[in-house]
Amino acid sequence: MTEYSTTDVLVIGSGIAGLSAALSAAREGADVTLATKATQPKGASSWWAQGGIAVSCDGPDQFKQDIQSASGDTADPAAVQVLVDDANAAVEDILLDTLAVDFDGDRSDPAVKSTQALSDDTPSGFDFGREAAHSESRILHIDASTGKHIHIPYLNYLAGHDAVKIRDDTAALELIRHEGRIHGAILEQDGDFQPCYAGSVVLATGGIGDLYPSSTNPDSSTGDGIAMAALAGAETTDMEYVQFHPTVCTADDAPFLISEAVRGEGALLRNADGVRFMPDYHEAAELAPRDIVARAVQTEREASGEVTLDVSPLDFAGEFPDLVGKCEEHGVDWQDGIPVGPAEHFLCGGVSVDDRGRTSLDRLYAVGECARTGVHGANRLASTSLLEGLVWGLRAGSDAAGRDPVVIEAPELSERDPALPENFAHEKFRRLRRVMDEYVGLERTPEDLQRAISALRRLKGEVDAYTRTRTSRPLYELRSATIVALLVTRQAAQNEQSVGCHYMASDGSPTGSTADD
Ligand code: SIN
């Protein structure tokens, strides 16, 4: 038998959800292996999170109501209840007590940011931010770089934990499945493949940004966990709800996010004629739900040529020094307005899970962006993704602990043929992104979705032919991306209701050239 490793809990992915699952499994006494493709903290989406993490301020009811409204009333109320019930305790326990994250607040009196502060009826001492579709200021943040201030201490904390072994630059290629139960995964590092047998597996592989030409996700966001789970027979839900962020700076080839917090502080969207347009689209104007703002920005860009974010109503340099730095790095003169457009940001659906992160397959869990908990419905409320990852990560990790690994026969991955032609993955990804951009973007039509399905099926056939005789990380990432693209597109085609991020344009006429030619 090939060499293998064993662990009680195998966590795949190193964002806040994976780290939380690892920590809570370790707290339950499990020994944990955390495998991540990332070679540095920037490889996880959590590192990039700007806005922050929402908590309950004036009691849970208004927070629940805001999540429901932003989702167009499609969020699962039971899941939302779990999120809101656990929010403050999870933030206190992990972010304040364990990691001592120094959220912005009244720095003159650090005592008010004590662990008790969030338990009070009206937490104080923090500089709570506001973002679109939140009816009150409830977002804990550190400037507009909250993600890295949580992610780095979290990684460091776990790196020093006796029960957690972090394997970076290590990709999961395939789950090991036997009679409906998951027993581990085949891991790849430096071109070598080895089974890792686990009592439970927690998928925390993040988003699907690589499926679109422009995304706020880190590179290699190829939906691996969703694809592996789907191939093993797990259920996926709400895959059509791909969220686009409305304000990504379009100044050059390296688009970067301009947090919603900037609009929360008063920034205005203007078209190329200088006209503020959001009041014509929604009564909440710039603070309307994200799907509505994203489509409005796209419409105005198409009509007038450009949309800019006017930051003159606020003290941009004082309040967002990190974004000023980013603008300067990219040569953007923010005082003239920041050119913005929508870009893929977050998948609201994913592998279907319950309130403990359990999938439809025994011993397989999914948390964070790759999971569909029901919290987001058709459109996610800003600054709830770190929170969802934290809450579900903790829940899933403790549930996943307590099982011994079982060593069974693992699937043999093929290495019969030589390495991939150098440009193979690059060229196929280009085609995939073109299909998704043209047919499965902000607006869809039944005809376009059918075109996309045909093109993606052909692409998948070509990729599958290669995976029958070759194994490599880029090839398996491409396989994941094609599988996930098909799941998104098929579920979009099955959903005739235009809601949230799944917007069906009424005009079903062809949209010009075919994406797969
Ligand atoms: C942002 O800062 O605008 C992103 C927040 C989020 O996606 O939740």
Side-chain angles (χ1 to χ4, degrees), residues 49-52 131 243 245 257-261 263 290 345 380-385:
Q50 291 192 2
E131 291 177 27
Q243 185 172 70
H245 197 288
L257 184 64
I258 304 289
S259 174
E260 265 182 21
R263 274 177 285 133
R290 193 174 276 179
H345 184 58
R380 178 174 67 82
L381 180 68
S383 285
T384 53
S385 56

Side-chain angles (χ1 to χ4, degrees), residues 64-380:
K64 275 192 303 199
Q65 183 51 47
D66 288 351
I67 294 173
Q68 277 296 350
S69 303
S71 78
D73 263 329
T74 56
D76 172 357
V80 176
Q81 187 74 48
V82 167
L83 185 83
V84 169
D85 281 349
D86 283 14
N88 291 22
V91 170
E92 276 182 19
D93 173 11
I94 305 298
L95 304 187
L96 300 178
D97 285 357
T98 308
L99 305 177
V101 176
D102 190 18
F103 290 110
D104 286 354
D106 182 357
R107 291 176 195 279
S108 62
D109 182 5
V112 293
K113 290 198 293 179
S114 72
T115 56
Q116 287 306 304
L118 284 176
S119 314
D120 295 345
D121 284 345
T122 48
S124 59
F126 296 98
D127 168 28
F128 289 105
R130 184 161 177 208
E131 291 177 27
H134 285 271
S135 60
E136 61 190 12
S137 299
R138 60 163 73 92
I139 296 163
L140 291 170
H141 63 98
I142 298 177
D143 296 331
S145 312
T146 311
K148 68 176 90 153
H149 291 287
I150 293 174
H151 191 236
I152 289 174
Y154 214 161
L155 266 180
N156 289 341
Y157 181 81
L158 286 180
H161 199 299
D162 288 345
V164 180
K165 177 175 179 195
I166 299 180
R167 293 180 56 178
D168 61 9
D169 197 9
T170 301
L173 302 185
E174 187 112 27
L175 295 172
I176 302 170
R177 174 179 184 221
H178 184 65
E179 292 179 351
R181 176 173 285 178
I182 297 302
H183 292 282
I186 309 284
L187 301 183
E188 179 272 334
Q189 189 174 27
D190 290 334
D192 291 334
F193 328 115
Q194 218 185 67
C196 175
Y197 294 101
S200 308
V201 175
V202 183
L203 301 170
T205 54
I208 63 166
D210 273 33
L211 272 60
Y212 288 87
S214 178
S215 163
T216 60
N217 294 181
D219 289 346
S220 293
S221 297
T222 44
D224 306 343
I226 301 171
M228 286 189 292
L231 283 175
E235 219 176 82
T236 61
T237 318
D238 289 350
M239 293 292 292
E240 67 273 40
Y241 300 132
V242 179
Q243 185 172 70
F244 288 77
H245 197 288
T247 56
V248 172
C249 179
T250 54
D252 60 20
D253 288 346
F256 63 95
L257 184 64
I258 304 289
S259 174
E260 265 182 21
V262 181
R263 274 177 285 133
E265 293 299 322
L268 304 173
L269 286 160
R270 298 191 186 279
N271 63 22
D273 305 319
V275 175
R276 182 181 174 212
F277 56 83
M278 272 316 299
D280 296 339
Y281 288 83
H282 194 275
E283 60 190 7
E286 279 79 2
L287 297 186
R290 193 174 276 179
D291 59 310
I292 293 169
V293 184
R295 284 194 300 276
V297 168
Q298 185 64 10
T299 304
E300 295 289 328
R301 268 167 65 87
E302 281 164 10
S304 79
E306 187 181 61
V307 166
T308 53
L309 189 64
D310 170 7
V311 294
S312 63
L314 61 143
D315 174 14
F316 188 58
E319 294 193 46
F320 297 99
D322 39 8
L323 290 178
V324 167
K326 271 253 171 216
C327 286
E328 284 167 0
E329 198 185 302
H330 290 261
V332 178
D333 185 357
W334 53 270
Q335 316 216 32
D336 288 345
I338 304 169
V340 290
E344 193 281 339
H345 184 58
F346 188 88
L347 177 64
C348 300
V351 185
S352 320
V353 297
D354 67 7
D355 61 4
R356 285 183 268 167
R358 294 178 300 186
T359 71
S360 57
L361 297 180
D362 193 15
R363 302 184 176 204
L364 182 68
Y365 296 75
V367 293
E369 191 173 346
C370 73
R372 184 273 186 193
T373 60
V375 159
H376 309 306
N379 182 47
R380 178 174 67 82

